[in-house]
Amino acid sequence: MRHHRTTPDDTEEPPLDDEHLRRTSLYDLHRSHGGRMVAFAGYEMPVRYEPGPMAEHQQCRTRAALFDVAHMGVVNLSGPAVAEALEQLVPSAIATLGPQRMRYTLLTNDDGGVIDDIMVAKEDANRLTLVVNAAGKDADIEHLRAGLPDAIKVEHRTDLALLALQGPEAVAVLRRLAPEVAGLTFMQTGSAKVAGIPVAVSRSGYTGEDGFELTVATDKAVPLAEVLLAEPEAQLAGLAARDSLRLEAGLCLYGHDLDQATSPIEAALGWTIQARRRTEANFPGAVRILAELRDGPRRRRVGLAPVGRKPVRDGAALRASDGSPAGYVTSGGYGPTVGAPIAMGYVPDGLDAAGTELIADVRGTDVPCRVIELPFVPHRYVRGG
C-alpha cells in the first residue's frame, strides 16, 4: 500500500494508536475469531489468526480464504466519455474495455513514476468503478478530481465494503450460494445475491489464485462474511498470508515494489500499456515510459531466490559477484508454497537475466541470491476463451 513500508508478518506488530486508526466494518468479527490486530495503512487490521499465517497461506492455495480488504478505496467515476477522460491519467486502454470487464492499470505522474496501481471496472459507457490502495486513497481521489474534467463526478463510496474470497475452491463456495457467478472469467464483473445480500462480484484478486472480490453495502459486510465462512471450504486469512501469497505470485506492493520514482517499465509492467496507448502517447510520463519501452530501462524488477533458509527482507542491498552495487530488495520473506525464502528487487540492466548470481547484505551477513523469473508460483486464473 502507498507509503507504508512495513510488510506485515508473524514477527512484526507496529504499535497501535487507537486514536488515529480507522476500523473496517468487520473489526468485531476479526476479534471474535481471534484475529491479531495491527496498524496497517491507517487501519487496525488482522495480521493473522490461529494457527497462523502458514496455515492461512496454504488454505488459500488449496481451498478458500476470506480476506477483509475493506480498507481499500472504492471510487465511482461517472459522466460523458468517462473512460476516455480517465485515459488522460493512466497509460492503459480504458475506452475500448468492454462492459463488465476490468483492467489493472497505473496512475502515473509527469516524470513517469507510479502514483498508485489501481483496478478499473467498466460498468457502462458512462460509469467506471475504481479500487485504489488504502494508504493513498485520499491523495488518489484528489488526483482524480484535479485531473478529470468538471463533467466527471468522482465519488468515494464509503458506504461500501470489499471482501476477497480466494483459492481454488472459492468458486465452489460461491456457486453454492450464487450459481450465476461461476460463469464469470478472470477480470469479468457481474452482480448477484448471496443469501439474499446484493453484491457486485468480480473474478479477480491479488493472490495468484482463482477467486472473487465482493463489493457489498457496509452494513451487510458482516452477514456476508458469516455466510461465506459457514461454508466448509472457507476460512479467514490476514495480512501476513496475503503478503506471502502476492509475493509468490510476483505481484507488486505499492510503497515497496512501486513508488513515484519507479516507472511501469522498470517494474516489469509494460504489459499494462496497450498498442494504441503507446501510439497516442498522451498519458502522464509518456516521454520517459515510451523511451524505456524502446531503449530499455536502467534497472528492472526481478525475482530473487536466496540460497539457504535465511529470509532476505526489503531494503537489503545487493552486490554483483565483483562486489559492485547491484540494486536492492523491495519485497522479501518466506514462500510457504515454494518452501524457501523468496524476494523481489531492482537490479541494473545487464544483471537481470535469470541465473545471475548476486549477494544480499542481510544485517551484515552475505546471503547469495540467484535471479529467477517471476512468478515463483504459477497463476491459476480462470481465463475466458
Side-chain angles (χ1 to χ4, degrees), residues 142-161:
E142 289 179 13
H143 180 76
L144 290 165
R145 286 177 174 152
L148 292 171
D150 292 342
I152 303 300
K153 181 181 179 181
V154 180
E155 184 181 10
H156 181 198
R157 297 297 303 274
T158 57
D159 59 323
L160 298 177

Side-chain angles (χ1 to χ4, degrees), residues 66 100 123 160-165 174 177-181 184 188-203 212-225 227-228:
L66 182 65
Q100 270 57 68
E123 311 295 345
L160 298 177
L162 190 62
L163 305 180
L165 184 68
L174 278 188
L177 298 167
E180 62 271 30
V181 306
L184 298 177
Q188 187 175 10
T189 69
S191 58
K193 285 191 174 182
V194 177
I197 301 170
V199 296
V201 184
S202 65
R203 199 157 194 169
F212 301 84
E213 294 184 315
L214 310 173
T215 306
V216 62
T218 300
D219 62 352
K220 299 295 184 184
V222 170
L224 176 62
V227 166
L228 296 172

Side-chain angles (χ1 to χ4, degrees), residues 16-356:
L16 298 181
D17 181 356
D18 294 337
E19 195 174 318
H20 297 100
L21 289 175
R22 290 178 280 189
R23 293 173 175 175
T24 74
S25 53
L26 295 177
Y27 174 84
D28 290 336
L29 181 139
H30 297 313
R31 295 301 297 265
S32 69
H33 283 76
R36 184 183 297 179
M37 311 303 286
V38 301
F40 182 76
Y43 283 79
E44 197 170 354
M45 296 293 293
V47 68
R48 56 166 292 173
Y49 304 85
E50 293 301 332
M54 290 275 287
E56 294 164 33
H57 181 109
Q58 299 297 3
Q59 174 74 19
C60 187
R61 287 278 184 250
T62 60
R63 304 206 74 190
L66 182 65
F67 298 87
D68 178 6
V69 286
H71 58 313
M72 308 281 278
V74 179
V75 181
N76 287 154
L77 304 183
S78 58
V82 65
E84 289 81 357
L86 183 61
E87 283 189 353
Q88 304 309 303
L89 300 180
V90 304
S92 303
I94 307 301
T96 50
L97 195 61
Q100 270 57 68
R101 301 296 305 183
M102 301 181 70
R103 182 153 281 161
Y104 173 83
T105 189
L106 309 160
L107 292 171
T108 51
N109 61 33
D110 291 339
D111 296 324
V114 178
I115 296 171
D116 203 1
D117 57 334
I118 66 176
M119 298 293 295
V120 179
K122 193 170 193 178
E123 311 295 345
D124 56 42
N126 297 314
R127 291 186 303 143
L128 302 174
T129 297
L130 279 54
V131 177
V132 302
N133 280 317
K137 61 187 173 186
D138 294 335
D140 286 353
I141 291 166
E142 289 179 13
H143 180 76
L144 290 165
R145 286 177 174 152
L148 292 171
D150 292 342
I152 303 300
K153 181 181 179 181
V154 180
E155 184 181 10
H156 181 198
R157 297 297 303 274
T158 57
D159 59 323
L160 298 177
L162 190 62
L163 305 180
L165 184 68
Q166 301 283 290
E169 295 186 358
V171 66
V173 172
L174 278 188
R175 182 188 286 119
R176 200 175 298 132
L177 298 167
E180 62 271 30
V181 306
L184 298 177
T185 56
F186 183 57
M187 301 297 269
Q188 187 175 10
T189 69
S191 58
K193 285 191 174 182
V194 177
I197 301 170
V199 296
V201 184
S202 65
R203 199 157 194 169
S204 61
Y206 221 59
T207 62
E209 293 294 331
D210 182 26
F212 301 84
E213 294 184 315
L214 310 173
T215 306
V216 62
T218 300
D219 62 352
K220 299 295 184 184
V222 170
L224 176 62
E226 290 174 339
V227 166
L228 296 172
L229 292 171
E231 299 301 313
E233 300 90 347
Q235 292 181 15
L236 283 165
L239 292 171
R242 186 170 173 83
D243 192 61
S244 59
L245 289 158
R246 70 92 195 166
L247 179 55
E248 285 189 338
L251 302 175
C252 293
L253 178 67
Y254 196 91
H256 288 242
D257 313 294
L258 295 172
D259 57 36
Q260 296 214 33
T262 301
S263 79
I265 312 309
E266 291 176 324
L269 297 176
W271 57 268
T272 65
I273 310 171
Q274 288 74 32
R276 172 174 65 83
R277 304 295 285 131
R278 299 181 186 197
T279 300
E280 292 171 344
N282 61 347
F283 52 86
V287 172
R288 172 191 175 186
I289 291 168
L290 295 178
E292 289 182 352
L293 269 172
R294 181 184 66 246
D295 304 327
R298 290 180 297 177
R299 60 175 189 155
R300 299 177 189 272
R301 178 173 65 97
V302 298
L304 298 165
V307 176
R309 308 296 291 178
K310 192 176 186 66
V312 176
R313 304 288 184 183
D314 69 295
L318 297 169
R319 305 194 311 275
S321 56
D322 63 1
S324 61
Y328 59 97
V329 174
T330 53
S331 288
Y334 183 78
T337 309
V338 177
I342 56 175
M344 295 191 299
Y346 283 88
V347 302
D349 184 38
L351 293 177
D352 58 317
T356 300

